[in-house]
Amino acid sequence: MARSSRGYRCRECGWTTVAYVGRCGECQQWNTLDQFDSAPRGPLARSSRPPALPGRALALADVPDEPGRRMATDIPELDRVLGGGLVPGSLVLVGGDPGIGKSTLMLQAAARLAEQGQVVAYVCGEESPRQVRMRASRLGVGAANITLIPESSLDAALAAAEGAGATVVIIDSIQSVYIEGLESRSGGPAQLAEAGARLVAFAKGNEICTIVTGHVTKGGEIAGPRLLEHLVDAVLYFEGAEGGALRVLRAVKNRFGATDEVGVFEMTGAGLQSVENPSSALLEAHDAEASGCAVTAVIEGSRPLAIEVQALSVPTNLASPRRIAAGLETSRLHLLLAVLARRGGINASGMDVVVSVSGGLRLRDPAADLAVIAALASAVSDRPLPRATAYLGEVALSGAIRPVQQAQRRLAELGRLGFTRALVPPSTPFVEGMTLIPVRTVRDALTRAES
Ligand code: TYD
Ligand code: MG
């Protein structure tokens, strides 16, 4: 690949060009190009190489097999997402919206790890040591064994951490540290790529577990468009509904555990608490008397979670009515509305439609389709759905209800929460204590949902 020595790079998506243009050729945003120099001279040239790993060959069999070497953080939901705990020498990225609770979780984890004898260095690039101390007091966590490093130069911070004999380093946040001598704004793609490479070398080279936090950009991606994601061992992503107290931490990548595992927390006055019974918490606000509310169970990582889908529709004079989806892809909402109109005979074309998912959870599981359809139909007719009834099934464009994976586990979870009846795809095996109503099509489901 030919490398141009100078050029411009989009700070949103990483697209590069040799000549300056006002608008990014990839993401089409205006004024997002920064100049970069990809063949830097002097001290930088060194670090542009891939992270230095020991240049010797060794037999795989000679590498010690230490499956048990994990540091549990003792925060149950965090350990679950990590796959049992932190792996020494690993690099973990924790992403999420500003204010969602990344720093809070990091400080709580730091304190728990320190209690177990780990030496934790906390690089606080965003807050002053006093602010961190105040948060620690608020969280009621001990300050012993935690070294604060109020430093925004990454190299200086890492050197200080090493000097302090740290076994765990937390960098809060990646956007608040910078690489000296690199001509690019802090948090920009060039800075992030370089910081990522140095962090990998630091974590692997010193066997120090390193955690970095990162704010998401408005596009919903961890800033520096996935630049860090491929470098790090694990990417954990915080989700939550605006104004709500529930937080979902999801592993979108994990070299040492299952991906898509989720941990559920509640933000309280004393920090984040692991939620022991997430389904109950997610259904806490479920109101069976309101129209537009349907319950389903999704598989998140290794466990089923019961969730509520809420829909609201109101007549509008707008030529193109609003479609607002929180926790669901807008394209999926459009598709399901189209299926509902064409295959179910329920038309929302003259209405604004809003759909949201409990707890700010993002729906990825197509098994929730039928619940979205049921919620939409109920919202449009303004009639509540029958009590204690849940909905499971993927919806095809033809209107057919397709089978879902792990139906038994989902239904068992719903049964545990007091649901006694479920609309399910045909040939779903029987589950004790549940009346199953097999539905073949959307129209079928709408008829049966009424009764
Ligand atoms: P924070 O961890 O600073 O978010 P991030 O690092 O992701 O930007 O969380 C800040 C929010 O959490 C803030 O709105 C206050 C709230 N909070 C609590 O509700 N309880 C607490 O004990 C703490 C420390 C914060
Ligand atoms: Mg923070």
Side-chain angles (χ1 to χ4, degrees), residues 98-166:
I100 193 117
K102 300 179 293 296
S103 301
T104 305
L105 184 64
M106 290 302 102
L107 195 55
Q108 287 180 279
R112 290 293 181 88
L113 288 164
E115 276 166 24
Q116 299 167 48
Q118 300 292 340
V119 182
V120 184
Y122 191 104
V123 180
C124 48
E126 282 185 357
E127 287 142 323
S128 69
R130 276 180 67 112
Q131 284 172 309
V132 179
R133 179 67 221 229
M134 271 163 59
R135 176 179 282 139
S137 307
R138 177 172 177 185
L139 297 172
V141 300
N145 273 343
I146 301 181
T147 306
L148 282 186
I149 304 178
E151 175 61 69
S152 50
S153 154
L154 181 65
D155 291 333
L158 294 179
E162 221 185 319

Side-chain angles (χ1 to χ4, degrees), residues 264-330:
V264 183
F265 297 90
E266 189 179 354
M267 182 61 97
T268 70
L272 288 157
Q273 309 288 336
S274 292
V275 173
E276 268 175 36
N277 192 343
S279 289
S280 306
L282 288 163
L283 287 191
E284 200 158 62
H286 175 58
D287 178 2
E289 307 293 325
S291 65
C293 300
V295 171
T296 186
V298 289
I299 300 288
E300 292 288 356
S302 60
R303 67 183 164 185
L305 288 182
I307 55 145
E308 181 193 47
V309 178
Q310 287 193 357
L312 184 68
S313 69
V314 282
T316 178
N317 293 325
L318 291 177
S320 55
R322 273 179 287 230
R323 304 286 180 242
I324 301 168
L328 177 74
E329 295 284 331
T330 313

Side-chain angles (χ1 to χ4, degrees), residues 164-335:
T167 53
V168 178
V169 176
I170 296 171
I171 295 167
D172 188 19
S173 66
I174 190 74
Q175 280 101 343
S176 69
V177 291
Y178 70 99
I179 310 282
E180 279 168 289
L182 198 60
E183 261 182 66
S184 163
R185 72 182 177 94
S186 188
Q191 283 278 348
L192 286 177
E194 188 58 39
R198 289 188 196 192
L199 285 166
V200 172
F202 174 80
K204 305 267 179 277
N206 301 298
E207 281 271 294
I208 295 176
C209 177
T210 309
I211 312 176
V212 285
T213 67
H215 298 298
V216 293
T217 57
K218 55 183 181 314
E221 288 180 342
I222 293 174
R226 310 197 164 267
L227 272 176
L228 288 177
E229 282 193 11
H230 72 281
L231 287 173
V232 303
D233 296 307
V235 179
L236 315 182
Y237 195 92
F238 243 134
E239 302 169 358
E242 224 166 285
L246 285 185
R247 302 281 183 270
V248 175
L249 186 68
R250 180 189 299 277
V252 294
K253 166 181 177 177
N254 194 349
R255 285 187 183 143
F256 309 113
T259 40
D260 267 334
E261 190 65 82
V262 301
V264 183
F265 297 90
E266 189 179 354
M267 182 61 97
T268 70
L272 288 157
Q273 309 288 336
S274 292
V275 173
E276 268 175 36
N277 192 343
S279 289
S280 306
L282 288 163
L283 287 191
E284 200 158 62
H286 175 58
D287 178 2
E289 307 293 325
S291 65
C293 300
V295 171
T296 186
V298 289
I299 300 288
E300 292 288 356
S302 60
R303 67 183 164 185
L305 288 182
I307 55 145
E308 181 193 47
V309 178
Q310 287 193 357
L312 184 68
S313 69
V314 282
T316 178
N317 293 325
L318 291 177
S320 55
R322 273 179 287 230
R323 304 286 180 242
I324 301 168
L328 177 74
E329 295 284 331
T330 313
S331 56
R332 194 81 199 156
L333 173 58
H334 282 138
L335 185 147

